[in-house]
Amino acid sequence: MSEHTANGCLKISKILNNNAVVCIADDNTEKIVMGRGIAFGKKAGDAIDSSRIEKVFTLHSQETSNHFQQIIQNIPVEHILLAERIISHAKQTCRKKLHDSIYITLTDHISAALMRINEHITLKNPLLPSIRRLYPEEYQFAADALVIIKEATGVSFPEDEAAFLALHFINAELGPDNTKINAIVATAERIAAIAMQYLKRPIDEESLSWQRFVTHITFLAQRLLQRTDYSAQGDLRLFDMLAQTYPEACAGAGAIKDFLETEFRCIIGKEEQSYLAVHISKLQHEYGADVPDTAV
């Protein structure tokens, strides 16, 4: 889905409510057009008054179109435009592609959250520490969203709400069919906890080495939950070298292997163990000894 300023002649094909209509453009593409009072006194077949247009969404799939139309009919236009502003802000810096589903899920959540806060209902998010640690970029998008919401509405949300919003960005990155984000977060957190048992010093969670490790284990958890095979042996010489030179790092990788094989009933091959050991060794020697400069 993309949003832009309207151009050309737009004719109404369906009225969703007083503030939103479905239109057919000159090139026969379907668009959702929003603006306060844009459908007042109008009927199907009428042209849109361009001076009332506030936002135009071009739909890339019929499924997205249907879902978004349902959302629009039940949510105040102010909430929809607020969500679009937040998504546009995130897209300016997001390094990953956000699926169109973000327009549906985030809009719905923000509207519901604003109604909850008006009723003095707040929710705790037990995944807050994990999301903040494992998904710092998406968490920052969500933190920025809370600032935008405060500026637009005067409503201040607790930090737990940022974790809920971050989940929508994470899901949009993984795709519309992903239903396992909680399990991905929990698995990555367990892997990180095991690795930290083999580190002899506090870890700077802002460091590049830690962020690379977190990225690796997050995608590892995602692939395991998708039942990707991890039995490949890869370069056994690298693992043998690591075992001799960095036994503690390999012990940590072995502990992670044991956990994953028990949890997922899979086989974690030497190649994956080598990657984990390299990450752990880099963390162990963050401020000193050299470790293999192996790309992972």
Side-chain angles (χ1 to χ4, degrees):
M1 183 181 294
S2 60
E3 64 279 1
H4 56 273
T5 302
N7 49 51
C9 179
L10 294 174
K11 292 187 177 181
I12 299 174
S13 63
K14 180 181 179 181
I15 294 176
L16 300 176
N17 57 36
N18 201 40
N19 303 308
V21 296
V22 180
C23 291
I24 302 298
D26 291 339
D27 59 1
N28 289 323
T29 58
E30 187 179 66
K31 303 175 185 294
I32 291 180
V33 182
M34 298 187 63
R36 291 169 180 81
I38 198 167
F40 181 76
K42 298 287 186 178
K43 62 182 183 300
D46 288 349
I48 288 293
D49 180 355
S50 60
S51 67
R52 289 184 175 273
I53 295 175
E54 296 184 45
K55 191 64 60 177
V56 178
F57 295 92
T58 301
L59 309 172
H60 295 158
S61 76
Q62 194 58 50
E63 182 180 10
T64 300
S65 173
N66 293 340
H67 288 170
F68 196 53
Q69 289 177 38
Q70 292 172 10
I71 288 289
I72 286 176
Q73 292 180 73
N74 296 292
I75 289 179
V77 63
E78 292 81 6
H79 295 179
I80 297 168
L81 296 176
L82 177 59
E84 186 278 325
R85 178 182 167 192
I86 289 168
I87 294 166
S88 294
H89 173 76
K91 281 187 170 183
Q92 291 175 7
T93 56
C94 185
R95 294 174 293 178
K96 305 169 189 174
K97 184 178 179 180
L98 296 176
H99 190 272
D100 290 352
S101 59
I102 189 68
Y103 287 94
I104 298 167
T105 61
L106 192 73
T107 301
D108 188 49
H109 182 96
I110 288 174
S111 184
L114 285 167
M115 288 187 284
R116 272 196 285 105
I117 205 75
N118 285 336
E119 297 173 1
H120 308 289
I121 299 173
T122 57
L123 301 177
K124 287 290 184 182
N125 192 327
L127 292 175
L128 172 60
S130 297
I131 292 170
R132 190 167 48 202
R133 167 186 286 181
L134 299 174
Y135 295 94
E137 183 178 25
E138 292 80 1
Y139 182 81
Q140 187 58 55
F141 296 157
D144 292 345
L146 295 191
V147 174
I148 293 172
I149 292 171
K150 175 67 181 299
E151 291 174 349
T153 68
V155 174
S156 297
F157 281 107
E159 190 176 15
D160 291 85
E161 197 63 42
F164 286 118
L165 294 177
L167 284 171
H168 291 292
F169 286 110
I170 297 166
N171 275 321
E173 291 171 352
L174 296 175
D177 297 327
N178 176 68
T179 58
K180 299 179 178 178
I181 186 61
N182 289 359
I184 292 173
V185 172
T187 300
E189 186 72 7
R190 287 284 299 278
I191 296 172
I194 292 170
M196 292 184 76
Q197 295 175 11
Y198 290 83
L199 305 178
K200 305 302 182 182
R201 67 186 75 190
I203 290 299
D204 177 9
E205 295 187 2
E206 299 297 322
S207 70
L208 182 59
S209 293
W210 178 258
Q211 293 303 323
R212 284 174 173 168
F213 176 59
V214 163
T215 298
H216 181 85
I217 64 176
T218 300
F219 282 110
L220 172 58
Q222 180 183 341
R223 293 179 189 125
L224 286 170
L225 284 157
Q226 293 171 340
R227 297 301 177 186
T228 301
D229 183 18
Y230 264 86
S231 60
Q233 292 301 313
D235 187 353
L236 298 181
R237 292 173 299 175
L238 173 61
F239 183 80
D240 291 341
M241 181 197 73
L242 289 168
Q244 293 178 9
T245 311
Y246 303 104
E248 278 291 303
C250 284
I256 293 171
K257 165 189 173 293
D258 292 342
F259 159 67
L260 293 176
E261 290 186 341
T262 300
E263 185 77 9
F264 294 98
R265 298 181 181 180
C266 64
I267 297 175
I268 302 296
K270 297 295 185 183
E271 183 175 31
E272 180 57 43
Q273 292 178 61
S274 297
Y275 290 152
L276 291 168
V278 168
H279 276 297
I280 294 172
S281 63
K282 284 182 179 291
L283 290 168
Q284 288 174 332
H285 301 273
E286 183 81 286
Y287 306 105
D290 294 330
V291 294
D293 189 17
T294 304
V296 291

